[in-house]
Amino acid sequence: MPATVRVVDPVEWSTDSLRLTRYAFQPSPAELDAGRNLAQGKLYARFSRTHVLYEDDAPRATAMVWRMHQHVRGRLLPMGGIGGVATDPAARRGGRARQLLTAVLADMRDQGQVVSTLYPFRPSFYERFGYAGLAQERRVRIAPAALLPLLRLDLPGEVTLHRHVGVAGEIQRFETDLAAAVPGMAVYDDPDGELLANQTAEWAAIARVDGRMTGYLRYSVTEHGGDFDARRFLYRDPVTRSLLLAWVARHTDQVASAVLRLPPGETPETWVPDAEATVEAKVAPMTDAAPMARILSVDGLAGIDAGPGEITVRVDDPLIGGVWSLSGGGTLSVATGGTPSAELTGPGLAALVYGALDPAELPLRGFGSVDEPAAATLRSLFPRTPSHLVAHF
C-alpha cells in the first residue's frame, strides 16, 4: 500500500504523532497520559498543522508546522515554523522524511505562508529542501555581582516579578509589537499567549517605562548557588536593558552565574567595566542547532525593504523555481520572466533575502552562479543584515 501524508486531528496527534516525537526527542520509555495529551493536542491544533505519513495505516513519520509571522526586511510575513520532525526507527533511512517534507512544504505554500524556518537535526539535510543557515544566537555567562554598578544608576521605570503564566498575553503582545523592529524575529499567531501559558513554569521580570512594557526576562533559577537561566532577554532600548540587568544584579547572593540569550551582534563586554564574562555561540547538530530559513513564495516577498537595483534571476528549486525579475529602490518589486543574469538555488535566494551571505559567497557554497556585476546588484538589493529568530520550536 503506498504511503500517504495527511493533516491529523487532535486525537491522532495525541497518539500517532506524539508517539513518534516522544521517541525521537525525549527520554524513553515513558508513560503517556492520554487525557493530558489530548488536551494539549486540542490546544496545539488551534495554532498549528500536524502532518503524518502513513504506510498500511501505521504512522511512520510526522512534522508539525506552527502558524507564525516573521520580520523579513521590514515586513511581518506569514511563516511556517517546522518542528517535531520524527520518523519511526524501523522506517528511517528509507526516504519517508523526504516524502513527508515535500508534502509539508507544498502545504505551507498553499496555506499562504511566504517563508519557513526550523532548527535542523542536520543542516545539510535541510539544504536539500531549500533552507539556508541563519546566525546563531549568543549566550553570555556572567556573575550577577559584575552588574552591581547598574543598581547605582538613576534609571526611569521599574521591574516587576510575575509567574509567566499570569502575564502570558501581555508578553505575547509585546513580542508581536517588538518583532516589527527586530530583523528575523518570529512570533506565534497567538495574541492571547495561550501557548506560552502552557509551557513549563518560569518567572517573568517585566520592565516598564512610563507604564509601558519595554522589555522582559523570562527565566528560571536552577538552585541556590546555581544559575539564573534566562530563555528570553528582550528589550527596546539601552535603558530597558540596564533595568533588566540591574534585576539580574539583585541575585548576587543567590546564584553564581546568569546565562542570558543574546541577539547576534550584542556586545556584553560594553555593559559595565571590569566584568568577567563568557560569550559563545555554540553550534552542534541535534543539541545546539542554528536556525535555517527558506522562501515558500517569491511573489510573497513583494514589498519587503530592498536597496536600489534591478536584476533577473533563474531560481532552481522544486517549489519556487522559475525566472524572476527583482527590482528595488525602497521596497522590492517582483515579476516573472526576462533574461536571467544569475542562477540561484533555493538556499541561495533565502541566504540573500535573510542577509545571511554575501552574493560572492553563493558559488562557494554551491548556492548559485553569480558573476561580479550580478553580485554587485544583489548586494545592493539585499544588504547583509543579521537575523535573530528568537522563537524556539
Side-chain angles (χ1 to χ4, degrees):
M1 184 175 180
T4 59
V5 178
R6 61 181 175 85
V7 177
V8 299
D9 62 29
V11 173
E12 294 167 313
W13 178 90
S14 68
T15 54
D16 297 354
S17 177
L18 191 60
R19 179 180 68 81
L20 297 175
T21 56
R22 285 272 177 91
Y23 187 91
F25 301 114
Q26 297 184 13
S28 63
E31 296 297 324
L32 298 179
D33 184 332
R36 183 179 183 278
N37 294 339
L38 180 57
Q40 190 174 45
K42 290 178 178 178
L43 171 66
Y44 287 176
R46 300 207 303 275
F47 306 101
S48 66
R49 287 165 70 85
T50 296
H51 304 251
V52 175
L53 181 146
Y54 290 92
E55 289 179 336
D56 298 327
D57 295 325
R60 295 302 188 189
T62 187
M64 179 178 283
V65 178
W66 295 101
R67 289 187 291 273
M68 306 177 76
H69 275 74
Q70 184 184 26
H71 180 143
V72 180
R73 294 193 181 271
R75 284 190 61 199
L76 285 178
L77 299 179
M79 187 200 92
I82 297 182
V85 180
T87 304
D88 188 303
R92 293 173 185 170
R93 304 288 176 172
R96 278 86 169 184
R98 176 177 294 278
Q99 183 177 348
L100 172 70
L101 286 167
T102 299
V104 168
L105 290 172
D107 184 71
M108 286 192 291
R109 178 197 57 195
D110 294 344
Q111 292 293 312
Q113 289 158 331
V114 176
V115 293
S116 172
T117 64
L118 52 78
Y119 288 88
F121 72 91
R122 189 171 69 248
S124 61
F125 176 83
Y126 285 100
E127 277 188 4
R128 298 196 291 270
F129 289 92
Y131 285 84
L134 303 181
Q136 179 72 302
E137 67 183 6
R138 272 54 177 158
R139 298 184 187 184
V140 59
R141 178 177 291 272
I142 189 170
L147 303 171
L148 285 172
L150 295 172
L151 290 175
R152 297 194 290 269
L153 298 179
D154 184 16
L155 297 171
E158 63 174 356
V159 177
T160 56
L161 182 62
H162 312 263
R163 296 293 291 267
H164 85 277
V165 65
V167 289
E170 184 180 11
I171 288 174
Q172 185 65 42
R173 289 185 289 274
F174 168 77
E175 287 201 359
T176 301
D177 190 43
L178 184 67
V182 178
M185 184 172 174
V187 289
Y188 293 96
D189 293 350
D190 175 22
D192 296 322
E194 293 180 72
L195 291 171
L196 174 59
N198 188 251
Q199 293 178 4
T200 303
E202 291 181 300
W203 294 111
I206 294 180
R208 294 183 178 87
V209 178
D210 295 328
R212 175 182 177 232
M213 183 175 176
T214 56
Y216 82 105
L217 281 160
R218 200 168 94 227
Y219 66 94
S220 60
V221 176
T222 60
E223 61 182 339
H224 187 77
D227 286 341
F228 179 110
D229 189 10
R231 293 179 58 196
R232 283 286 197 279
F233 177 35
L234 296 175
Y235 45 85
R236 289 191 177 278
D237 50 60
V239 169
T240 301
R241 182 186 64 203
S242 295
L243 279 170
L244 294 172
L245 291 174
W247 179 262
V248 175
R250 295 180 184 278
H251 296 75
T252 292
D253 296 319
Q254 182 179 353
V255 297
S257 297
V259 181
L260 311 173
R261 276 67 170 177
L262 306 174
E266 177 61 274
T267 54
E269 61 271 22
T270 66
W271 290 346
V272 291
D274 303 328
E276 181 177 333
T278 300
V279 183
E280 66 176 4
K282 183 180 178 182
V283 181
M286 294 186 289
T287 58
D288 293 275
M292 302 183 79
R294 77 154 286 153
I295 309 301
L296 300 171
S297 167
V298 181
D299 287 326
L301 297 175
I304 65 173
D305 293 343
E310 184 173 347
I311 191 171
T312 299
V313 299
R314 184 186 301 279
V315 178
D316 179 14
D317 183 271
L319 195 69
I320 57 172
V323 177
W324 301 94
S325 292
L326 310 174
S327 59
T331 58
L332 185 69
S333 296
V334 179
T336 57
T339 302
S341 57
E343 306 277 341
L344 302 175
T345 64
L349 180 61
L352 292 176
V353 169
Y354 280 88
L357 294 177
D358 183 85
E361 297 177 87
L362 300 183
L364 304 177
R365 295 291 309 277
F367 288 171
S369 177
V370 183
D371 62 19
E372 185 50 43
T377 301
L378 290 169
R379 191 175 295 119
S380 177
L381 280 170
F382 303 115
R384 288 288 299 272
T385 181
S387 290
H388 185 205
L389 183 58
V390 181
H392 286 258
F393 40 85

